[in-house]
Amino acid sequence: MKKSLRTLVYAFLVGAFVFIVYYVAAVVRGPKVEGVSWNPIVAAVLTIMGIASGAAWGVGGELRRWKTRDAILAANLALVFGLLFLGWTMIWDLAKPLNALIPGVRDSVYGFWFLAGLVAPYIIRKPGAAVVAETLAALAEWLAGSQWGFTLLISGLIQGGMAEIIFAAYGYRRYKLDTLMLAGAAAGIGSLVVDYFFWYAQLKPDVLLIMLIARIISGAILGGWLAKVIGDGLVHSGALGNFPIARESREKI
Amino acid sequence: MGLFSYYEEDSFLHRLNPSIKLLVIFLAVIILTLAPDPYTPGLFLLLTLLALWVVGRVPMRVILRSTWPLVLLTIPFFIFNTLYFDLGKVVQPHIWFHLGPWTVARESAIVGLALSLRILAFIACSLFFVTTTSPTDFALSLIQQAHVPYRFGYAILVAYRFIPLWTEELATIQAAHKVRGVGEHSGWRGMLQQFRRYAIPLLANAIRKSERVAIAMDSKAFGVTSQRTYYRELHICRRDYVFLAITLLTLLAIFYFLGNY
């Protein structure tokens, strides 16, 4: 099966499976039997988590075909970004007053946290790069001692999985600004879904909607656009001479 | 910010299999997330720190030094969650007072407290893992027990080995900029400028280093075979199952007896 197709099929199947299980438990068998009542937000959250983890699962087999060079580069990039992510927590705390204006607007600085899962695929251009880099960056951030703890690892996996779907949808061939911005936006949706599960289930729906919009925009700009800037900056530095990204820019010249 | 780091010691907690610890933390995090009350995460937090101190023989000052800045960060989280709690879900809220557009009720304060204690419990889990797990064992166990492709397991080890080099690298770049007469500015804009000036060279050096290491590894035929043998082999033994059972039973017992208050 084609690599990109497998990612998408796995994503779809796992997402559909999770949705059907929730539907059966909450609607068909109902609150009286299973004690679960239907909630459209929960349904969407579970389905998106299923889609993202399905994408990560589908791409897992590809990892055995990576070259050593790509694996080492992904891990090192992830480590640097993981430490930057930990530092970004400070910005996140400084941005707190934004929430006093309109609750949820603070999430417009969230997009920075998707960078690892966008820069790595932009450079390495292999199936699985988004999932691996974002998850490893989350691992580094977790082990360095972030306040969000183990949930980061799940966040990283889901954010990477969502970005992976976009790269797969383009057949792992197109790595332009629009691809990166879409991938960032998708990661933004994934991030809110995980945060809802762990932290925000008690918040008002309108606050959640503002958060969702803020994260999609922020993922596209602070994630996607910035990833492109960083990637192109690295090409100019000449360090990426042996990677696909530099070959492409040489062809242009 | 106090970074977490491995604390070398030979205790029951240190000898556990890293993958099992990871699994236990994963399950604990899920159970803690499903518990809506403040008692479960609160008691779990105390027990984890106590176990780390008594069983894991990690000194109290190490525990406190790395956690206190994170504890301060949970206060704003508490305030946000208390103020924006969806009171529409509660049938008869016990309202304490009104503050501008916000209503503070007993129910929302309890939810805020529960969420803040949940953060602290997660931090305790992380601290437990990092202080009692040597990075080498962690990478080996990821390969041997969690079946992560070994190329990535070693890649993680390489990345860990490089951490001290980044500080040196940053100092070199700073010196190079100073020699060329580029000063450092203070304040917001200065911070942003420095981030731009340092990020690209740092990442470029990370890439160059990765490539050199990868060439060295390739030249020693790393990654040629799909299977490999290990000088040190980790196993899952009886103490791992005991630990898994004790932790989960304790957590479920707390949840069962206190979760309904």
Side-chain angles (χ1 to χ4, degrees):
Chain A
M1 206 190 294
K2 258 178 75 183
K3 294 169 200 166
S4 49
L5 200 61
R6 192 166 74 178
T7 314
L8 296 176
V9 167
Y10 270 64
F12 176 76
L13 288 181
V14 177
F17 174 76
V18 172
F19 179 79
I20 290 168
V21 167
Y22 181 67
Y23 185 80
V24 168
V27 179
V28 179
R29 291 175 66 82
K32 281 200 184 119
V33 185
E34 303 290 347
V36 182
S37 57
W38 177 260
N39 178 345
I41 300 180
V42 174
V45 163
L46 290 177
T47 310
I48 292 172
M49 277 174 120
I51 290 174
S53 41
W57 183 19
V59 99
E62 285 299 317
L63 299 184
R64 299 198 181 271
R65 254 171 267 160
W66 277 39
K67 286 183 194 152
T68 307
R69 184 189 70 181
D70 297 329
I72 303 271
L73 175 61
N76 270 328
L77 279 179
L79 179 88
V80 173
F81 276 112
L83 297 181
L84 284 177
F85 288 174
L86 190 61
W88 193 256
T89 312
M90 210 173 68
I91 307 283
W92 176 249
D93 289 324
L94 285 177
K96 192 156 287 132
L98 287 178
N99 261 353
L101 296 172
I102 309 168
V105 172
R106 162 163 84 147
D107 291 47
S108 52
V109 300
Y110 206 99
F112 187 86
W113 279 313
F114 313 143
L115 270 180
L118 301 169
V119 173
Y122 187 50
I123 293 173
I124 300 172
R125 309 204 166 177
K126 285 236 160 103
V131 173
V132 164
E134 191 68 33
T135 310
L136 288 183
L139 180 73
E141 195 188 346
W142 173 52
L143 294 179
S146 164
Q147 55 180 325
W148 310 115
F150 190 83
T151 61
L152 277 176
L153 228 62
I154 297 161
S155 262
L157 191 74
I158 302 288
Q159 289 166 15
M162 290 299 280
E164 192 74 42
I165 289 173
I166 303 292
F167 293 120
Y170 280 101
Y172 294 113
R173 272 200 211 97
R174 192 184 156 82
Y175 290 88
K176 294 272 158 57
L177 184 61
D178 57 337
T179 325
L180 289 172
M181 286 178 88
L182 269 178
I189 298 173
S191 74
L192 185 63
V193 161
V194 178
D195 287 351
Y196 175 84
F197 185 77
F198 284 117
W199 315 107
Y200 295 151
Q202 310 287 349
L203 290 185
K204 295 175 188 162
D206 51 336
V207 177
L208 288 172
L209 187 67
I210 297 172
M211 281 180 167
L212 181 67
I213 296 168
R215 286 194 191 188
I216 289 176
I217 296 172
S218 161
I221 295 169
L222 256 178
W225 178 77
L226 193 59
K228 169 111 177 126
V229 171
I230 292 175
D232 292 346
L234 288 173
V235 172
H236 279 294
S237 77
L240 290 169
N242 294 326
F243 286 87
I245 183 179
R247 246 170 269 150
E248 182 191 65
S249 65
R250 269 202 295 273
E251 275 159 24
K252 251 187 268 168
I253 302 163
Chain B
M1 191 176 293
L3 295 182
F4 290 3
S5 60
Y6 175 50
Y7 183 80
E8 212 173 332
E9 178 64 67
D10 187 30
S11 77
F12 176 76
L13 294 183
H14 286 75
R15 278 190 299 260
L16 290 169
N17 189 296
S19 297
I20 291 291
K21 285 188 221 174
L22 219 52
L23 178 71
V24 168
I25 291 176
F26 175 74
L27 294 174
V29 161
I30 298 290
I31 296 173
L32 285 173
T33 305
L34 297 176
D37 63 296
Y39 301 103
T40 312
L43 200 55
F44 180 77
L45 170 71
L46 281 181
L47 287 178
T48 311
L49 292 182
L50 205 65
L52 195 59
W53 187 40
V54 178
V55 186
R57 294 208 287 262
V58 177
M60 203 31 110
R61 78 188 142 74
V62 174
I63 296 176
L64 292 179
R65 192 182 54 205
S66 35
T67 44
W68 73 264
L70 298 172
V71 172
L72 291 183
L73 286 177
T74 56
I75 295 169
F77 187 80
F78 169 71
I79 296 170
F80 176 74
N81 270 290
T82 306
L83 293 183
Y84 291 103
F85 172 66
D86 190 356
L87 270 177
K89 285 183 189 167
V90 184
V91 186
Q92 251 186 340
H94 300 71
I95 292 170
W96 281 345
F97 56 90
H98 296 273
L99 190 80
W102 300 298
T103 310
V104 177
R106 188 166 151 248
E107 283 76 9
S108 48
I110 288 178
V111 167
L113 186 67
L115 286 170
S116 311
L117 283 173
R118 191 188 289 172
I119 288 196
L120 291 176
F122 288 2
I123 292 172
C125 286
S126 319
L127 188 72
F128 150 70
F129 186 84
V130 177
T131 46
T132 63
T133 312
S134 100
T136 322
D137 283 1
F138 177 46
L140 280 179
S141 169
L142 276 185
I143 300 167
Q144 294 176 12
Q145 272 85 41
H147 299 290
V148 169
Y150 72 83
R151 220 172 260 146
F152 287 92
Y154 278 90
I156 292 171
L157 264 187
V158 169
Y160 176 76
R161 173 65 187 78
F162 276 174
I163 293 175
L165 298 181
W166 296 127
T167 14
E168 271 175 48
E169 206 74 66
L170 187 66
T172 312
I173 296 168
Q174 273 169 337
H177 286 191
K178 222 173 260 169
V179 156
R180 286 162 182 79
V182 191
E184 292 197 352
H185 303 277
S186 53
W188 262 101
R189 289 189 58 193
M191 246 171 75
L192 217 73
Q193 231 175 20
Q194 274 150 41
F195 177 77
R196 266 183 50 199
R197 276 212 329 254
Y198 296 141
I200 297 287
L202 257 181
L203 284 171
N205 278 340
I207 292 163
R208 290 207 180 93
K209 268 208 183 71
S210 311
E211 221 176 348
R212 275 199 296 264
V213 170
I215 289 171
M217 289 163 89
D218 277 342
S219 71
K220 290 170 180 71
F222 175 85
V224 173
T225 54
S226 60
Q227 295 291 321
R228 53 179 292 139
T229 52
Y230 297 90
Y231 175 63
R232 274 197 64 212
E233 281 188 20
L234 300 178
H235 298 283
I236 295 176
C237 7
R238 208 169 53 209
R239 61 166 172 264
D240 295 311
Y241 294 116
V242 170
F243 173 70
L244 182 75
I246 289 179
T247 319
L248 291 186
L249 286 179
T250 315
L251 192 53
L252 287 174
I254 298 173
F255 183 33
Y256 183 76
F257 288 116
L258 290 175
N260 295 324
Y261 279 92

